[in-house]
Amino acid sequence: MKKRIIPALVAIVLIIVVIGGALGIKLAERYAYSKTRADLTEYYQLTEDQEAAIILQNDILEEKAKLIEGRYYLDFATVQTYCNDRFYWDQQENLLLYTTPTDIIGTAIDTRSYSVSGQNQEVDYVIATYVDNVLYIAIDYVKQYTNLSYETYTEPNRIQIYTQWSAQNVSEISKDTAVRYQGGVKSDILEDLSKGTQVTVLEEMETWSKVKTNDGVIGYVENKRLQNNRQEEQTPVTEVAPPDYTNITRDHKINLAWHQVTNLTANANLTRDLAQTKGINTISPTWFSLSDNEGNFTSLASPEYVTEAHNRGMEVWGLIDNFSKEVDTKAVLSYTSKRTYLIQNIMNMLLTYNLDGINIDFESIAPDTGEHYIEFIRELSIACRANGKVLSIDNYVPKEHSAHYNRKEQGIVADYVIIMGYDEHYGGGGVAGSVASIDFVEEGIQKTMEEVAPEKIINAIPFYTRVWKTVGADVTSENAAMGVGEAFLAKNGVVPAWKEDTCQNYGEFQDGEAFYQVWLEDAQSLEVKLNIMNKYQLAGVAEWKLTLETADVWDHIETYMNQTGE
């Protein structure tokens, strides 16, 4: 019996040992730390030898840098998006420009020199070059005009860039360990870390934390391997002084009236057209208009007009527009030589006729022209600043479709940003409605103030309305001066009534198949708009246009001009 039991026990023990060994192996496999190393080239998604990963702050960008002749280069879009959006690329004339409050700094592509105020400066590297038709700029050149810091690393090539500095959560490694691609012992190793190494903690989870190493590797480390957790303030780079965009700011509210001048003879109408007005301190005659794609413009300027305005205590800000159908605004503004020529001509006019400023009224600018338009504004601001001339710019009420006008930059480099606070409903819109309801006006002010300081904002009010006619699905309208709309309603036996939603008097009537509607602009509606403008302490008011108003509006405008607070 014993002889039979012993072998059975041995067999059972062996089976237990085998099962235990198998379970041990399974457990070891499950909980043992993986020693598989990740391919960092794949981790950074690098596909070329000269490509380099970009770590901006604590994020790995999809964009890649280039390593050219031992220096790091960023593509133009990356520079604009993440580093400094004042760099401008003239693709027509192969120039890279950077505009300061006083200078246009320029370099030709594939050269080692740049010009500041006509003086050439040499560097020991190519400043900007094309790679596969993409413009790349040396980060050392970007750094000349931008507060940023960077460190570069190899195997694989990568560059850590900082443009912002703040408090960082940091820890020290308590025991030799590894940064892994994901949280988990089976995840591939990105980099080994020795005891005492400091890491930046980006996100803390239950058992693992997302960290960044000092050489720009972002992965996961077990929480039990982190010690001495604390916050450390980064030291900001302040090598580049912030640009000082000095502006011309009057010590009084601006009351600007646009004066439409269509021919030289019409300049003589100034006295007549000002007869019933009160409180105007700035007149903007519509004198200049782009006439071709080379930067030329027509002029109706009159020295006698300027003298008369000055004698009345008014400044003269001549208006220039881009309304000619013969002009392609992009064709003018996308060439540095044409912008320079246009600006020189504008300044010649301002100086020749002793004008106090220029009013830019470029409308219907296409999105692909926005970057050229704002560069034009930057460059023009330099000339205006140097000559003591006011630069004012007309803008639509902010909407997504006009974001490329870059009101934020306008608000920095220009003296005054004017909101054209009207045409909420316009002739070709196909929908009848107010020209400037109170909500539309206030929203325009509020949205502009998100990007522009109120002391630089002038809100323009309309001296007109529209008479709307709807026949079936056909909606048309005609412009009407302030008194004309009311007279039209009265002629048809309609007494307008005040509408609280628009803060306007409104009238409507049916005439056969035609349904007529008028949202009036009158002294009462403009008074509400002026009160809103006073509420936000804006720089002033503008009016489009002289001769369309009724005499009673000027008392309200004069009251607004004399107000000092809400």
Side-chain angles (χ1 to χ4, degrees):
M1 179 67 68
K2 289 182 180 180
K3 291 181 179 179
R4 289 197 298 267
I5 291 174
I6 291 174
L9 291 173
V10 171
I12 291 170
V13 170
L14 289 174
I15 291 170
I16 292 172
V17 170
V18 170
I19 292 173
L23 288 173
I25 292 171
K26 289 290 185 181
L27 289 171
E29 289 177 351
R30 181 175 180 180
Y31 293 105
Y33 288 78
S34 171
K35 296 182 180 180
T36 304
R37 308 193 72 83
D39 184 333
L40 289 185
T41 299
E42 291 183 3
Y43 166 75
Y44 287 113
Q45 298 182 347
L46 302 177
T47 59
E48 303 174 9
D49 290 341
Q50 298 306 307
E51 219 172 35
I54 302 172
I55 303 96
L56 177 69
Q57 311 301 125
N58 297 321
D59 295 303
I60 300 172
L61 300 185
E62 291 184 9
E63 296 87 344
K64 301 295 185 287
K66 293 287 186 184
L67 189 58
I68 303 173
E69 296 182 354
R71 290 184 181 268
Y72 280 78
Y73 287 71
L74 306 179
D75 71 85
F76 178 75
T78 297
V79 170
Q80 276 207 321
T81 302
Y82 301 110
C83 300
N84 191 327
D85 61 5
R86 289 203 173 107
F87 281 96
Y88 172 79
W89 175 21
D90 180 343
Q91 299 184 51
Q92 311 295 339
E93 299 180 324
N94 269 337
L95 298 171
L96 176 67
L97 306 182
Y98 186 77
T99 307
T100 72
T102 56
D103 291 295
I104 302 170
I105 301 164
T107 180
I109 308 303
D110 285 321
T111 64
R112 297 172 183 262
S113 65
Y114 59 96
S115 174
V116 183
S117 299
Q119 300 295 316
N120 275 349
Q121 307 286 331
E122 299 287 335
V123 293
D124 61 354
Y125 56 88
V126 173
I127 294 171
T129 189
Y130 294 110
V131 179
D132 297 329
N133 297 318
V134 176
L135 182 66
Y136 282 82
I137 309 171
I139 193 169
D140 292 314
Y141 188 71
V142 176
K143 196 174 187 303
Q144 286 188 193
Y145 308 103
T146 311
N147 280 319
L148 65 80
S149 62
Y150 75 88
E151 294 288 340
T152 63
Y153 306 96
T154 58
E155 296 182 357
N157 296 324
R158 57 196 186 277
I159 180 169
Q160 167 73 67
I161 301 174
Y162 285 102
T163 59
Q164 300 174 24
W165 297 269
S166 60
Q168 299 271 4
N169 294 318
V170 299
S171 292
E172 292 172 3
I173 300 300
S174 61
K175 180 181 178 181
D176 290 357
T177 189
V179 180
R180 296 183 180 273
Y181 179 67
Q182 294 178 325
V185 297
K186 294 304 180 183
S187 184
D188 291 352
I189 295 171
L190 297 176
E191 186 174 71
D192 294 316
L193 294 177
S194 57
K195 180 180 178 180
T197 301
Q198 182 171 299
V199 294
T200 301
V201 179
L202 306 180
E203 182 182 357
E204 186 175 349
M205 291 163 286
E206 187 175 351
T207 57
W208 291 78
S209 285
K210 185 177 182 180
V211 303
K212 186 182 74 173
T213 67
N214 290 333
D215 58 354
V217 174
I218 298 174
Y220 294 83
V221 169
E222 288 179 286
N223 291 340
K224 66 183 182 181
R225 300 293 184 234
L226 299 175
Q227 66 179 8
N228 195 17
N229 302 326
R230 62 194 183 279
Q231 273 200 341
E232 287 187 356
E233 289 286 345
Q234 293 179 298
T235 302
V237 172
T238 57
E239 299 166 352
V240 180
D244 182 15
Y245 284 94
T246 56
N247 298 120
I248 299 173
T249 303
R250 301 307 185 208
D251 60 0
H252 55 260
K253 286 181 183 176
I254 302 296
N255 181 3
L256 179 150
W258 280 297
H259 189 208
Q260 190 169 31
V261 178
T262 57
N263 54 63
L264 285 170
T265 304
N267 284 311
N269 297 332
L270 180 61
T271 299
R272 181 199 71 189
D273 295 343
L274 289 172
Q276 68 177 358
T277 66
K278 295 180 181 180
I280 295 175
N281 54 34
T282 307
I283 193 86
S284 182
T286 59
W287 275 345
F288 312 118
S289 185
L290 293 182
S291 56
D292 61 27
N293 292 340
E294 302 305 314
N296 292 298
F297 55 85
T298 57
S299 172
L300 298 172
S302 160
E304 293 80 13
Y305 184 107
V306 176
T307 298
E308 181 179 353
H310 284 169
N311 288 341
R312 288 173 170 269
M314 297 178 183
E315 294 191 7
V316 183
W317 299 356
L319 179 148
I320 183 169
D321 67 52
N322 65 335
F323 298 166
S324 171
K325 294 181 180 179
E326 304 301 316
V327 173
D328 178 349
T329 304
K330 182 178 180 181
V332 178
L333 301 185
S334 61
Y335 287 79
T336 297
S337 58
K338 294 180 183 181
R339 287 195 313 277
T340 301
Y341 177 67
L342 172 59
I343 291 169
Q344 288 174 344
N345 286 345
I346 289 173
M347 297 313 299
N348 286 340
M349 284 292 174
L350 296 183
L351 295 170
T352 298
Y353 290 93
N354 193 27
L355 303 185
D356 304 282
I358 187 73
N359 178 234
I360 305 298
D361 189 22
F362 284 9
E363 301 184 24
S364 300
I365 293 176
D368 66 353
T369 307
E371 61 181 316
H372 311 298
Y373 171 70
I374 201 62
E375 179 63 17
F376 163 66
I377 296 298
R378 289 190 191 106
E379 294 173 4
L380 177 59
S381 80
I382 296 173
C384 287
R385 197 173 292 111
N387 289 278
K389 303 299 182 181
V390 175
L391 172 58
S392 64
I393 308 167
D394 302 338
N395 286 271
Y396 302 117
V397 166
K399 300 290 182 182
E400 186 60 34
H401 65 78
S402 63
H404 57 280
Y405 277 68
N406 200 341
R407 293 170 187 81
K408 181 178 180 180
E409 188 75 343
Q410 288 184 36
I412 295 171
V413 306
D415 299 306
Y416 292 101
V417 175
I418 301 177
I419 309 168
M420 297 183 291
Y422 35 75
D423 284 344
E424 176 182 4
H425 296 86
Y426 53 94
V431 177
S434 169
V435 167
S437 69
I438 194 62
D439 287 346
F440 175 80
V441 171
E442 185 166 20
E443 181 183 3
I445 293 170
Q446 290 172 336
K447 286 189 174 296
T448 302
M449 286 177 57
E450 291 174 5
E451 299 181 297
V452 182
E455 60 268 22
K456 282 192 170 190
I457 298 173
I458 297 171
N459 187 69
I461 55 178
F463 280 170
Y464 68 94
T465 187
R466 287 184 176 275
V467 175
W468 295 92
K469 177 181 178 182
T470 302
V471 180
D474 186 26
V475 181
T476 58
S477 69
E478 293 183 4
N479 275 345
M482 291 184 70
V484 173
E486 190 170 0
F488 174 77
L489 291 174
K491 180 181 177 181
N492 289 277
V494 178
V495 177
W498 184 256
K499 289 177 67 68
E500 288 294 340
D501 60 337
T502 61
C503 287
Q504 292 168 308
N505 285 301
Y506 169 80
E508 64 178 43
F509 65 92
Q510 190 81 36
D511 184 9
E513 294 183 353
F515 178 56
Y516 291 92
Q517 297 171 280
V518 183
W519 286 262
L520 291 174
E521 290 295 352
D522 52 24
Q524 190 177 5
S525 69
L526 294 189
E527 181 183 20
V528 180
K529 293 177 175 62
L530 291 164
N531 287 338
I532 288 293
M533 292 158 56
N534 188 61
K535 169 185 173 181
Y536 291 104
Q537 292 294 284
L538 303 186
V541 61
E543 303 95 15
W544 179 263
K545 63 176 180 171
L546 275 184
T547 74
L548 294 183
E549 80 278 11
T550 53
D552 56 352
V553 304
W554 293 108
D555 289 331
H556 295 294
I557 293 173
E558 187 175 45
T559 298
Y560 164 75
M561 291 296 293
N562 292 327
Q563 288 173 322
T564 57
E566 188 176 350

